[in-house]
Amino acid sequence: MNQNIEEIIKKAVNEGIAAGYSLKQQEVKNYYKQTEKRLYAYPGLKSGIQAYQDEINDLEKYGLPERDKSIIYMPSGSRLGSDDLLEARIQDLNYKIQCNQREIKEIDDALKLIKDDPWYMIIEYKYFQSKKDNEIAELLSCDESTVRRNKKRLINKIVIRFYGADAL
């Protein structure tokens, strides 16, 4: 009877370890995908800053449109005049600019780790110029598998920069 319980415990422990390993593998894949998502967003974040700044300039020059449909979060029951609404909208846009700038800086800092890599242009072509692997292979005079292998290697370096030891 004791041996039966021992076998059940061993089986449960092994299943728990396997499940934990499987979850860890999924997390690592998610970090990789999240890193790719951030890289794909990089050009949009940069252009977003200019769009927000243009909107601020327009607001400062012309004021709020007659019926502004912007959503500005205020404590419930607050009533704001048009000057206050204008200022709130400008603050909201400045906050968005700061968020974009913070993300851009984090990406720029991560990219510094791989800038000197001979295959760095894969990242530029893939994520910032939206080129396909076969187009990149042609541009770099190499095989598509070389592009995929080096892209994965470079992204994994960036993953560590973004997420630290959790991504291991």
Side-chain angles (χ1 to χ4, degrees):
M1 184 118 158
N2 263 350
Q3 192 169 5
N4 193 16
I5 292 173
E6 207 171 288
E7 287 176 24
I8 291 171
I9 291 172
K10 283 182 182 179
K11 183 179 177 190
V13 167
N14 287 336
E15 286 175 3
I17 290 170
Y21 180 76
S22 176
L23 276 175
K24 183 65 176 174
Q25 291 304 102
Q26 286 176 333
E27 286 176 14
V28 169
K29 287 180 184 175
N30 287 339
Y31 288 133
Y32 188 93
K33 286 181 180 181
Q34 195 63 25
T35 298
E36 285 192 308
K37 186 176 179 181
R38 291 171 83 174
L39 291 171
Y40 278 124
Y42 185 81
L45 292 169
K46 283 189 160 189
S47 64
I49 289 174
Q50 187 58 53
Y52 295 142
Q53 191 58 56
D54 291 345
E55 188 174 346
I56 289 171
N57 293 340
D58 287 347
L59 288 169
E60 289 173 341
K61 189 173 182 178
Y62 305 112
L64 285 171
E66 281 288 318
R67 293 190 145 223
D68 191 300
K69 297 198 184 342
S70 301
I71 297 173
I72 300 170
Y73 300 98
M74 295 292 158
S76 74
S78 296
R79 283 200 171 267
L80 298 177
S82 61
D83 288 344
D84 293 330
L85 285 172
L86 176 64
E87 184 58 34
R89 180 67 184 142
I90 290 172
Q91 284 180 1
D92 183 50
L93 291 167
N94 278 321
Y95 174 75
K96 289 178 180 183
I97 289 171
Q98 289 173 356
C99 289
N100 282 18
Q101 287 172 332
R102 189 171 27 256
E103 181 66 14
I104 288 167
K105 182 182 180 335
E106 198 167 328
I107 293 169
D108 283 341
D109 289 347
L111 291 174
K112 285 178 189 174
L113 293 174
I114 61 169
K115 277 271 194 220
D116 294 332
D117 191 283
W119 297 100
Y120 172 79
M121 286 308 296
I122 292 171
I123 301 301
E124 289 277 339
Y125 291 142
K126 180 74 174 178
Y127 300 101
F128 307 152
Q129 297 179 24
S130 300
K131 295 197 181 302
K132 296 186 183 332
D133 289 350
N134 63 332
E135 295 172 310
I136 297 169
E138 192 175 310
L139 287 166
L140 298 177
S141 302
C142 66
D143 191 64
E144 282 184 57
S145 63
T146 302
V147 169
R148 286 190 294 274
R149 184 178 59 253
N150 282 289
K151 176 185 71 167
K152 184 175 182 178
R153 181 180 57 80
L154 293 170
I155 294 296
N156 282 328
K157 285 184 179 184
I158 296 171
V159 165
I160 299 302
R161 174 64 174 81
F162 283 155
Y163 305 104
D166 288 343
L168 297 175

